[in-house]
């Protein structure tokens, strides 16, 4: 290739699939957005958009926001009654629902879950429920006419609160999930339902959902999920970065300064999860003789200004900040956002933020956004749907 021949393509690439992905992720909604994000000329973008429309992969409508003149045309994935199923499994609750290909939530439900009942019972019931939602919630009548879920359902995205080997859909050494180690989620689902199933960990789902909802135009972001456990998802170059096996972003067993060093479920001591997770706060308070049942109880104590609980929350925030400082110095993201139930804990957030500013290079923090996840309780199912939409857009 001669220098000067190559189109000036942006960080996110300018191939037709790249353009499709920019629309599917919510980063681009018009030809102008695509030209800006890809670095391609407007005429090249138009040629590629026309080709994608004629292949039936994109649609263009005239319902963009008008600023007085002709209404601009808006690009979207063709929905046409197609739905995506989504399951966001947590330690005690699952959220499930259906979304259309534009990422809009069509229906959503919450269910209590007993993770110790094992994967067959828990996932079996959730899969059946999502499949049953699809025909009842399809926005237009199903094409085939026999009313089966497969008419409307194009795939199901599932989030698991533990490490997932992404290529195989297998769970590997999860904490607090007895009976789930080595379970092949994808094979189990394939026997029960005839649509593609994509499985990932819950922090990656949160990253996908929040990135799309809050900052689809930013290329580098880190999203921390701090609830019963702790994890993180990484967006690099506008896309989720999973690494070689799918464990990228898993900060739960990084070692932090702690005295004494609590024993972690992995067998090591001083892991972030053993110091700063919701489960760790519950355990530490009980050890101090404070009768607390669960994370809800801990949050209530902190709101009431209990000094033991508040001190532990500050320590947790410092520990998360220590690890995030390494991540920020190494990766230089534009935004670090924290979600999960501990994101509502003000003392934790304040000490995390202070530690980040203290321990990071000025160049890394001068324009860094440090914020709460804003996408709300549906962020996980939005991310689960995005897993499937990404697969539809780019089957490879
Ligand atoms: Zn550990």
């Amino acid at each position: 290739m001669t220098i000067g021949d190559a189109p000036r393509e942006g960080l996110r690439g300018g191939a037709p699939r790249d353009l499709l992905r920019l629309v599917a992720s919510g980063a681009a909604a018009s030809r102008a957005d695509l030209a800006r994000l890809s670095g391609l000329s407007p005429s090249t973008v138009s040629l590629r958009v026309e080709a994608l429309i004629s292949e039936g992969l994109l649609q263009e409508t005239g319902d963009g926001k008008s600023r007085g003149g002709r209404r601009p045309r808006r690009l979207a994935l063709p929905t046409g009654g197609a739905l995506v199923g989504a399951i966001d499994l947590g330690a005690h609750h699952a959220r499930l629902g259906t979304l259309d290909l534009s990422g809009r939530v069509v229906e959503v439900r919450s269910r209590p879950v007993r993770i110790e009942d094992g994967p067959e019972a828990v996932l079996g019931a959730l899969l059946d429920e999502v499949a049953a939602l699809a025909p009842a919630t399809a926005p237009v009548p199903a094409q085939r006419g026999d009313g089966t879920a497969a008419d409307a359902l194009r795939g199901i995205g599932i989030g698991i609160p533990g490490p997932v080997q992404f290529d195989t859909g297998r769970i590997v050494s999860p904490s607090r999930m007895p009976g789930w180690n080595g379970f092949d989620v994808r094979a189990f689902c394939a026997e029960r339902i005839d649509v593609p199933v994509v499985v990932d960990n819950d922090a990656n789902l949160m990253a996908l959902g929040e990135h799309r909802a809050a900052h689809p135009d930013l290329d580098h972001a880190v999203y921390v999920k701090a609830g019963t456990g702790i994890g993180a998802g990484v967006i690099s170059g506008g896309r989720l970065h999973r690494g070689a096996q799918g464990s990228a972003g898993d900060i739960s067993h990084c070692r932090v300064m702690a005295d004494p060093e609590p024993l972690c479920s992995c067998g090591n001591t001083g892991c972030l999860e053993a110091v700063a997770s919701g489960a760790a706060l519950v355990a530490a308070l009980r050890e101090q003789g404070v009768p607390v049942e669960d994370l809800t109880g801990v949050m209530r104590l902190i709101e009431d200004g209990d000094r033991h609980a508040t001190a532990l929350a500050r320590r947790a925030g410092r520990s998360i900040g220590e690890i995030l400082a390494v991540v920020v110095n190494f990766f230089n993201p534009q935004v670090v956002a924290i979600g999960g139930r501990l994101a509502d804990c003000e003392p934790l957030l304040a000490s995390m933020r202070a530690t980040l500013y203290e321990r990071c290079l000025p160049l890394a923090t001068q324009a860094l956004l440090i914020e709460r996840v804003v996408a709300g309780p549906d962020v996980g199912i939005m991310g689960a749907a995005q897993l499937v939409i990404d697969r539809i857009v780019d089957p490879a």
Side-chain angles (χ1 to χ4, degrees):
M1 192 189 303
T2 325
I3 295 173
D5 273 350
R8 192 178 60 83
E9 297 190 352
L11 179 65
R12 289 162 165 199
R17 283 283 166 199
D18 296 324
L19 301 186
L20 195 56
R21 202 179 299 117
L22 285 170
V23 175
S25 71
S30 66
R31 297 180 187 212
D33 290 345
L34 287 176
R36 179 172 50 80
L37 290 167
S38 67
L40 296 174
S41 70
S43 58
T44 307
V45 166
S46 277
L47 279 174
R48 292 186 184 174
V49 164
E50 294 299 343
L52 288 166
I53 290 172
S54 67
E55 283 175 58
L57 295 169
L58 263 188
Q59 68 180 18
E60 197 167 40
T61 57
D63 63 358
K65 276 209 183 79
S66 167
R67 291 191 186 86
R70 191 166 62 101
R71 285 207 300 182
R73 289 173 297 174
R74 205 177 75 87
L75 291 169
L77 259 64
T79 49
L83 287 176
V84 171
I87 297 173
D88 179 22
L89 181 62
H92 307 291
H93 290 89
R95 214 163 164 86
L96 57 96
T98 49
L99 297 89
D100 68 21
L101 292 188
S102 72
R104 188 181 61 92
V105 176
V106 176
E107 180 149 335
V108 64
R109 296 176 184 181
S110 240
R111 288 280 168 271
V113 155
R114 283 166 41 90
I115 214 92
E116 61 273 24
D117 288 346
E120 286 95 347
V122 171
L123 287 175
L126 295 173
L127 264 186
D128 290 348
E129 192 165 353
V130 164
L133 275 182
T137 56
V140 297
Q143 301 296 309
R144 204 163 66 203
D146 60 1
T148 55
D151 280 334
L153 205 60
R154 298 282 296 272
I156 298 178
I158 302 179
I160 301 287
V164 173
Q165 188 178 39
F166 184 72
D167 284 347
T168 61
R170 203 179 274 277
I171 301 173
V172 183
S173 302
S175 316
R176 295 178 303 276
M177 294 177 77
W180 291 69
N181 185 26
F183 189 74
D184 189 337
V185 178
R186 210 191 292 157
F188 173 76
C189 295
E191 278 177 16
R192 295 182 73 104
I193 191 159
D194 192 21
V195 295
V197 170
V198 192
V199 191
D200 209 334
N201 75 70
D202 58 345
N204 280 351
L205 256 57
M206 197 188 81
L208 281 170
E210 174 71 7
H211 181 247
R212 178 170 186 156
H215 301 293
D217 51 329
L218 295 189
D219 282 321
H220 310 293
V222 174
Y223 300 99
V224 180
K225 184 169 183 186
T228 306
I230 287 193
V234 178
I235 300 285
S236 177
R239 302 181 69 177
L240 187 68
H241 174 76
R242 293 192 176 87
Q245 296 289 328
S247 73
D250 194 340
I251 53 173
S252 48
H253 301 285
C254 293
R255 189 174 187 174
V256 292
M257 307 271 282
D259 184 26
E261 287 194 333
L263 182 66
C264 180
S265 60
C266 73
N268 283 325
T269 56
C271 295
L272 181 63
E273 181 157 296
V275 175
S277 67
L281 296 183
V282 172
L285 278 170
R286 282 185 189 156
E287 222 163 82
Q288 294 179 11
V290 183
V292 65
E293 202 167 304
D294 52 18
L295 187 50
T296 308
V298 177
M299 299 292 282
R300 204 174 297 131
L301 283 174
I302 294 168
E303 272 164 34
D304 291 345
D306 178 272
R307 64 196 171 94
H308 294 293
T310 306
L312 284 171
R314 287 214 182 92
R315 184 181 78 165
R318 265 196 311 277
S319 299
I320 296 171
E322 264 179 49
I323 298 298
L324 280 183
V326 177
V327 171
V328 166
N329 281 332
F330 183 80
F331 176 61
N332 190 196
Q334 293 152 304
V335 56
V336 169
I338 179 164
R341 296 187 58 203
L342 287 176
D344 294 329
C345 179
E346 210 49 67
L348 182 147
L349 227 57
S351 58
M352 180 194 93
R353 184 185 288 269
T355 309
L356 262 175
Y357 282 120
E358 192 185 310
R359 320 265 336 172
C360 287
L361 285 171
L363 184 59
T365 50
Q366 66 182 16
L368 176 69
L369 300 168
I370 303 174
E371 56 188 38
R372 271 199 187 100
V373 162
V374 296
D378 289 339
V379 66
I381 63 163
M382 288 157 63
Q386 193 64 42
L387 285 176
V388 180
I389 294 167
D390 288 347
R391 181 61 60 94
I392 292 169
V393 166
D394 192 356

